[in-house]
């Protein structure tokens, strides 16, 4: 991953994570790659990478053929 792509991915990751933590994206909300790319003014690739990491960390649920959904925050 080149430096510019990595910066975009990290920016996407931190913005999406922040929006989940502060309930801008609520549990059950579907996160569409194209909508997030438009909102964050970047290409879909870093969005996909950020969503994959957030899924691995338990913030969102990746449902095959259905997309990404925000999971409830648990302590």
């Amino acid at each position: 991953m080149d430096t510019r792509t990595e910066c975009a991915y990290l920016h996407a990751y931190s913005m999406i994570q922040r929006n989940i933590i502060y309930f801008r994206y609520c549990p059950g909300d579907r996160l569409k790659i194209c909508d997030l790319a438009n909102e964050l003014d970047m290409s879909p690739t870093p969005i996909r990478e950020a969503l994959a990491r957030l899924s691995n960390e338990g913030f969102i649920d990746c449902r095959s053929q259905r997309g990404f959904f925000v999971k409830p925050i648990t302590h």
Side-chain angles (χ1 to χ4, degrees):
M1 185 180 319
D2 68 38
T3 305
R4 197 169 73 184
T5 303
E6 186 173 358
C7 287
Y9 149 72
L10 291 173
H11 178 70
Y13 170 81
S14 66
M15 293 302 296
I16 296 167
Q17 182 189 47
R18 181 177 299 139
N19 286 335
I20 292 169
I21 291 170
Y22 291 108
F23 296 102
R24 182 158 182 253
Y25 307 144
C26 297
D29 283 354
R30 182 174 180 201
L31 300 177
K32 296 180 182 178
I33 293 170
C34 60
D35 291 345
L36 292 169
N38 287 333
E39 180 181 328
L40 298 175
D41 193 29
M42 62 179 62
S43 72
T45 300
I47 301 296
R48 274 190 219 92
E49 293 167 355
L51 292 175
R53 179 174 172 187
L54 289 162
S55 178
N56 288 335
E57 293 177 353
F59 285 96
I60 60 176
D61 185 25
C62 177
R63 300 180 192 162
S64 182
Q65 303 296 320
R66 296 189 59 216
F68 295 93
F69 295 84
V70 178
K71 292 174 76 172
I73 295 177
T74 56
H75 298 287

